[in-house]
Amino acid sequence: EDVPQAESPYDEATPLCNIEILCDQVIPDAPKLPCRLRIDDHGGVAQYDGWAGVELRGRSSSGFPKRHYNLELWQGGQTLIEPRDTWRYLDTGVDPGGSWKTVEYDDGHWSEGAAPLGYDTDQATTVSFGGNPAHKHVTTWFRRRFDIAVASLAGPLTVSLRRDDGAVIHVNGTEVDRSNMPDGVVTWETMAVADVEGAQETRFFDLVVPSELLLDGTNVIAVELHQASPSSSDLGFDLWLGDVGEEVAADLFGMGAESDWVANGNYADRALFRNKLSYDLFQSFGGVERYAPQTVLCELTLDEQWIGVFTLGERIKRDDTRVVIEDRPLEHQRCR
């Protein structure tokens, strides 16, 4: 009876707390999508009620019924183009001319299909690479219009791009960024800098769209996707566009004010390494060096469908309310 007991921020004799996520779209591994998030204690009192960026914690969790979600609390947010959305695309290998990236350009003769678009990868729409597998089209072009009221933005407009191999992104005719592409003038014959392989093929890369390029009403985002070589084996493209707002900190169940949280299903953790009991036992040993994430047990509902019991807890990071690591001169640091 002398063993110190870990303090619990909720009464285990009462119902669990509740997490409600309203997203109305498929939540991918990345990027974070703006969703409505409400977290209630066991008495129904809201601990948080607002926006959050939500994503799966890793590809390994997508095949399990109880997944692991990253939750980043935001002041606002909206999605303008979803992952897996529909795009106009040109896969003839013929340069469409300089006006293809503008709002006024008529893309009615282009093909249309859902993302991911590409070939020899996990695409929803297969695009053509031409008639010669050893000499595929270097460039494929993509366009999509979106409507926005600029004054409605709660924060910077963000693009999250999946590209295999390289890409140049334009908004309303102006280049805003390029990824895995060389400097200088880019033509339809320009190769990407490097071949993309493995996990990089499905990674999303983030960039911010300058607000001065946006128009009230209809805008267009245009992306040219380039291969690293004419014999490249695959091609892949997807994109998310939205307003992510600003991060906001909330002290959930006395665990410290932070914007980053995790809803962990624990379904796949057969070693029980992220099990709540393991965390609580380690913390009970005492001392600041005995850090383990604080967690509470909650029922999680996604788009009004009950998913199961999850642990809501801290996302491990260097922070005054998480892992406190002091800045010290190098001569005072020790290697262990």
Side-chain angles (χ1 to χ4, degrees):
E1 64 268 14
D2 295 330
V3 177
Q5 299 297 308
E7 292 186 2
S8 173
Y10 67 100
D11 181 2
E12 296 184 77
T14 62
L16 306 177
C17 59
N18 290 280
I19 304 172
E20 181 180 356
I21 301 173
L22 294 175
C23 225
D24 294 326
Q25 54 192 310
V26 177
I27 300 174
D29 298 326
K32 294 184 179 71
L33 299 183
C35 305
R36 295 294 300 185
L37 173 67
R38 182 182 173 96
I39 300 173
D40 293 339
D41 64 18
H42 55 258
V45 178
Q47 292 276 309
Y48 181 80
D49 188 3
W51 287 97
V54 182
E55 66 178 349
L56 287 177
R57 292 190 62 193
R59 294 182 61 81
S60 62
S61 70
S62 61
F64 296 100
K66 289 175 64 178
R67 303 177 179 180
H68 305 187
Y69 296 101
N70 272 346
L71 308 174
E72 186 176 79
L73 309 184
W74 290 346
Q75 288 182 350
Q78 60 182 309
T79 291
L80 300 171
I81 300 176
E82 300 180 15
R84 306 180 180 90
D85 228 329
T86 301
W87 289 77
R88 293 281 187 179
Y89 66 93
L90 183 68
D91 60 354
T92 62
V94 179
D95 186 359
S99 65
W100 74 275
K101 63 193 78 167
T102 65
V103 176
E104 295 78 18
Y105 181 80
D106 182 7
D107 57 14
H109 62 288
W110 287 28
S111 301
E112 188 175 42
L117 300 105
Y119 50 80
D120 287 340
T121 183
D122 60 338
Q123 71 278 352
T125 301
T126 301
V127 304
S128 173
F129 55 72
N132 186 353
H135 196 76
K136 299 181 175 72
H137 298 327
V138 172
T139 304
T140 308
W141 296 267
F142 302 89
R143 281 174 50 93
R144 182 175 172 89
R145 291 182 172 87
F146 63 95
D147 292 324
I148 191 171
V150 177
S152 70
L153 291 174
L157 194 61
T158 299
V159 173
S160 286
L161 169 71
R162 171 184 168 183
R163 83 297 184 268
D164 180 4
D165 295 304
V168 182
I169 305 174
H170 312 266
V171 172
N172 296 332
T174 299
E175 179 181 330
V176 294
D177 202 4
R178 57 182 66 182
S179 181
N180 194 29
M181 292 295 294
D183 296 331
V185 177
V186 172
T187 73
W188 63 279
E189 296 178 305
T190 302
M191 301 289 183
V193 171
D195 187 30
V196 173
E197 298 178 345
Q200 295 298 307
E201 294 179 344
T202 55
R203 177 184 171 187
F204 281 79
F205 297 84
D206 293 342
L207 64 103
V208 173
V209 177
S211 59
E212 60 268 19
L213 296 180
L214 299 174
L215 306 172
D216 279 316
T218 301
N219 297 256
V220 68
I221 185 166
V223 182
E224 49 188 287
L225 201 66
H226 295 250
Q227 291 285 37
S229 73
S231 60
S232 179
S233 62
D234 55 7
L235 177 143
F237 167 78
D238 201 351
L239 183 145
W240 177 83
L241 179 70
D243 160 24
V244 303
E246 300 291 337
E247 292 183 24
V248 58
D251 185 356
L252 303 180
F253 302 101
M255 292 186 284
E258 247 293 348
S259 60
D260 288 318
W261 301 88
V262 172
N264 193 342
N266 271 327
Y267 183 86
D269 189 9
R270 295 178 177 87
L272 302 181
F273 185 73
R274 292 183 294 273
N275 184 273
K276 177 172 172 55
L277 177 60
S278 301
Y279 289 159
D280 291 349
L281 283 174
F282 191 72
Q283 289 173 338
S284 72
F285 295 153
V288 295
E289 72 279 3
R290 307 295 186 189
Y291 173 81
Q294 300 179 82
T295 59
V296 294
L297 291 170
C298 298
E299 295 185 272
L300 189 145
T301 302
L302 176 62
D303 293 330
E304 300 183 345
Q305 179 181 0
W306 186 84
I307 304 298
V309 176
F310 282 63
T311 56
L312 172 68
E314 301 175 311
R315 185 177 180 188
I316 301 174
K317 60 190 292 189
R318 178 177 173 177
D319 188 271
D320 289 343
T321 62
R322 300 285 168 88
V323 184
V324 182
I325 301 177
E326 298 179 358
D327 287 322
R328 294 187 296 173
L330 185 61
E331 61 270 19
H332 292 160
Q333 298 182 24
R334 294 184 300 170
C335 295
R336 297 185 178 181

